[in-house]
Amino acid sequence: MFPQPQATASVTQQDKQVDPPRKVVKTDAEWKKILTPDQYVVLRQKGTERAGTSPLNHNKEKGIYYCAGCHNPLFSSDAKFESGTGWPSFFRPIAKNAVAEESDNSYGMVRTEVECSVCHGHLGHVFEDGPKPTGLRYCMNGVALKFEPK
C-alpha cells in the first residue's frame, strides 16, 4: 500500500512527552492579523487546502514541522512519508501531546480530526491506513504547517 519508512532512532519518540502544552487563545481579529487568509480558513475555520497545492507535500529535507498558528512542534521529517494523497503525511506526531484528536462527523463521514494541542488549530485528519510502525496516516494541510530545516 504505502512504502515502508526506514526505521530510525526517532521511531521510539512516540512515547516522548514535550513540555506540558501551553495554551494560546486569541480572538478571531487577532488570528486574522497573524495568519494568511488561507491559514485562517484552515486553522480557525476547519477548512481544507486543495490536494497537491502545498510545497511541503514533496519536501524531503530533514527538520521539524511546526504549527503555523503558534509554532508548536508537531511532526519530525523522520515520520514523513509519501502517501500519494496530495497532502503532507506522517505516521506519528513528534510527541504524544503535540496534537489533540477530536471526532469529526462532518460531510456525512466519521473521521478523526487532528488539532494543534496548543492553539487548537485544525491541522487535518488521521486515518488507520498508514505504514508501519504505527499503521496511521496523519494527513495534514500543508498551509497549517511551517517547516524548519535541521
Side-chain angles (χ1 to χ4, degrees):
M1 171 147 29
F2 296 118
Q4 299 301 309
Q6 296 283 27
T8 64
S10 66
V11 168
T12 61
Q13 288 183 337
Q14 79 182 43
D15 294 325
K16 178 183 172 190
Q17 296 283 329
V18 292
D19 292 334
R22 57 186 165 52
K23 296 295 176 199
V24 172
V25 179
K26 297 183 182 297
T27 65
D28 275 344
E30 290 171 318
W31 283 119
K32 285 179 180 178
K33 283 183 184 178
I34 65 169
L35 299 173
T36 68
D38 288 341
Q39 288 171 330
Y40 180 81
V41 167
V42 171
L43 285 163
R44 307 318 312 166
Q45 297 181 323
K46 300 180 187 270
T48 301
E49 69 188 355
R50 281 191 356 256
T53 61
S54 173
L56 295 178
N57 193 37
H58 300 293
N59 182 29
K60 297 193 183 332
E61 288 185 73
K62 295 290 183 192
I64 304 295
Y65 293 83
Y66 293 85
C67 175
C70 68
H71 206 254
N72 180 35
L74 300 170
F75 299 96
S76 168
S77 60
D78 292 338
K80 190 172 187 284
F81 70 99
E82 179 55 53
S83 66
T85 62
W87 289 278
S89 297
F90 305 86
F91 59 81
R92 84 159 43 95
I94 200 164
K96 281 178 142 180
N97 60 352
V99 298
E101 296 180 4
E102 299 288 330
S103 180
D104 177 0
N105 298 317
S106 62
Y107 304 108
M109 295 181 274
V110 178
R111 301 178 290 176
T112 302
E113 176 188 5
V114 178
E115 296 180 342
C116 172
S117 65
V118 173
C119 69
H120 291 282
H122 172 75
L123 302 171
H125 292 87
V126 62
F127 303 94
E128 295 181 353
D129 63 356
K132 292 179 181 178
T134 65
L136 299 175
R137 173 174 52 96
Y138 286 84
C139 190
M140 302 291 99
N141 288 286
V143 73
L145 305 174
K146 289 283 187 182
F147 177 76
E148 292 184 15
K150 283 186 181 178

